[in-house]
Structure formats: C-alpha cells, structure tokens
Amino acid sequence: MKNSTKNTLRCVIALSVISVVCVALLAVANRFLPKYKPSLDLNTVTLINGIVPSGVDDKTALDEGYYEMLVLDDKKLADFNKNNRAEANNAVLAVYRAVKGDNAGAYIVEAQAQGYAGNDPIVMLTAIDEDGAIISVVTKKQTENSPGTNGIFEEKQFALLVEYVKGKTSIDGSGISASTGATSSYSVGGVANAIGISLKVIPEVKGGSL
C-alpha cells in the first residue's frame, strides 16, 4: 500500500513538473518567436490580383501601387475583433484597398478563424465592393483537410464556395455546406467566420472608426 501511494505521488509530481515546463516553454515561444504580421508583399498581391484583377500583372501591380494596405489603429482593431469575433481566434488581420486599375475602390480583408482544433487558424482574403457585397474570396493559409475528402478547400467545393458568396452581404456555415456539399463542418465554420468578420469590418473602416 505504501509503495502504491509513493508511486502515485511520484506520478503526480512528475506530471506537475511537465506541466510547469510546458507552460514556461509556451511563454518563451510567445514572447520571443516572431508572430505573423500581414504585409502587402508579392504573394499577397498575387492572391488579391486573382480575385480583384487590376488589369496588369502581379509584379507591376505591386511595384506601381495598384493596391495599398490601410493603416489601422491597433487598439481599435483589437477592440473590434474582441467585440465581433465568433470564437477566440476569429480576427481581422489587415485591410487592403485597390486604388488603381479595373477594380479600383474595392476592399480586401485578410481575416482568420479557427477550423479544426489543433490546426493553425484558416486565413482568408475576402474582396468586398464599395456597397459591402462580396466580390470573391481566396485562401491565404490553411492546414485543414487531406486530399480526396469533401473538404471545403478541395478544388470543386471551393469553386462552388466562390460562386455562392458572390454578391452576398452576409454569410453562414449552413449556407456554405448546402451550396458546396462540403462535409468538413469545422472547416466550413472557420471559412464562414473569417468571411463574416471581414464583412463586418468594412463599415467601420469606411466610417473612420478604425
């Protein structure tokens, strides 16, 4: 009985030490590892130029300033995200605007939302016209599903998503699932939340609140 008690105590102590070490490592990682920061680089311009074409090639669009990254107040954006998020990782990361070319005046919002737990948040770019309706969407980053599934990021399902969202001013997961046939409910929810918060931020940007 005594040996059993000692073994139990040893296990509890070992687990406690492991927990403390893991928390410390996470704290160090959060403090010192670089956090993702959106930027208007060639990769971003290429994605934007694909959903709101400028009429010129990607490199020219970048070099000649066909798109701009809006300067937003960090605190006000953080408050907006806190008040409008559907879950803890749901957030607007950046807002861009087409200032020249075929789609001048359009806004493009980079936003993230959680898909399946344990995966990195899904990052989407949502292009929105001056009336607040969706022009198109594209994925910037996702680690959700394996090839061969009916996931929302499969080519067929995502093409149906793009068609479904065009012209819409609001979005929800059930509508996406019904229109695309995607069965990956958490991924669909993440996409819906990323697009949803993107739609919500444009009136704030246009109104000068951010």
Side-chain angles (χ1 to χ4, degrees):
M1 183 70 178
K2 288 183 178 179
N3 285 337
S4 177
T5 302
K6 285 181 180 179
N7 287 336
T8 301
L9 286 173
R10 284 174 185 157
C11 288
V12 170
I13 291 169
L15 289 171
S16 298
V17 170
I18 291 170
S19 297
V20 169
V21 170
C22 288
V23 169
L25 287 173
L26 284 172
V28 170
N30 286 333
R31 182 172 181 181
F32 294 106
L33 291 180
K35 294 182 179 180
Y36 170 70
K37 287 187 177 181
S39 63
L40 192 60
D41 55 13
L42 182 58
N43 176 58
T44 302
V45 167
T46 299
L47 291 171
I48 292 174
N49 207 20
I51 57 174
V52 277
S54 60
V56 299
D57 65 85
D58 303 329
K59 186 69 164 54
T60 300
L62 174 64
D63 292 343
E64 298 186 9
Y66 275 69
Y67 305 102
E68 67 178 5
M69 183 175 182
L70 303 186
V71 178
L72 305 177
D73 184 285
D74 289 342
K75 184 180 183 308
K76 289 180 179 179
L77 181 59
D79 288 342
F80 168 85
N81 285 329
K82 183 177 179 180
N83 293 328
N84 290 277
R85 65 191 182 189
E87 42 82 13
N89 285 324
N90 192 199
V92 169
L93 304 176
V95 180
Y96 311 96
R97 196 174 189 203
V99 292
K100 295 195 292 185
D102 296 345
N103 283 282
Y107 292 90
I108 306 93
V109 182
E110 182 172 345
Q112 70 175 29
Q114 189 64 48
Y116 280 91
N119 289 348
D120 291 338
I122 298 162
V123 180
M124 302 284 295
L125 290 169
T126 302
I128 300 167
D129 66 24
E130 292 186 279
D131 295 322
I134 297 172
I135 299 170
S136 191
V137 295
V138 67
T139 308
K140 190 169 190 183
K141 185 179 77 168
Q142 67 88 13
T143 56
E144 289 293 290
N145 56 274
S146 302
T149 69
N150 284 331
I152 189 62
F153 297 107
E154 290 299 302
E155 184 177 355
K156 177 183 176 182
Q157 276 72 30
F158 200 83
L160 290 170
L161 169 70
V162 170
E163 288 304 311
Y164 171 69
V165 300
K166 281 181 182 176
K168 286 188 167 49
T169 56
S170 64
I171 213 80
D172 61 71
S174 60
I176 291 175
S177 293
S179 63
T180 65
T183 56
S184 49
S185 58
Y186 289 102
S187 300
V188 168
V191 168
N193 290 336
I195 296 172
I197 201 168
S198 298
L199 287 165
K200 290 178 181 177
V201 80
I202 294 305
E204 303 297 319
V205 170
K206 292 175 71 174
S209 301
L210 299 178

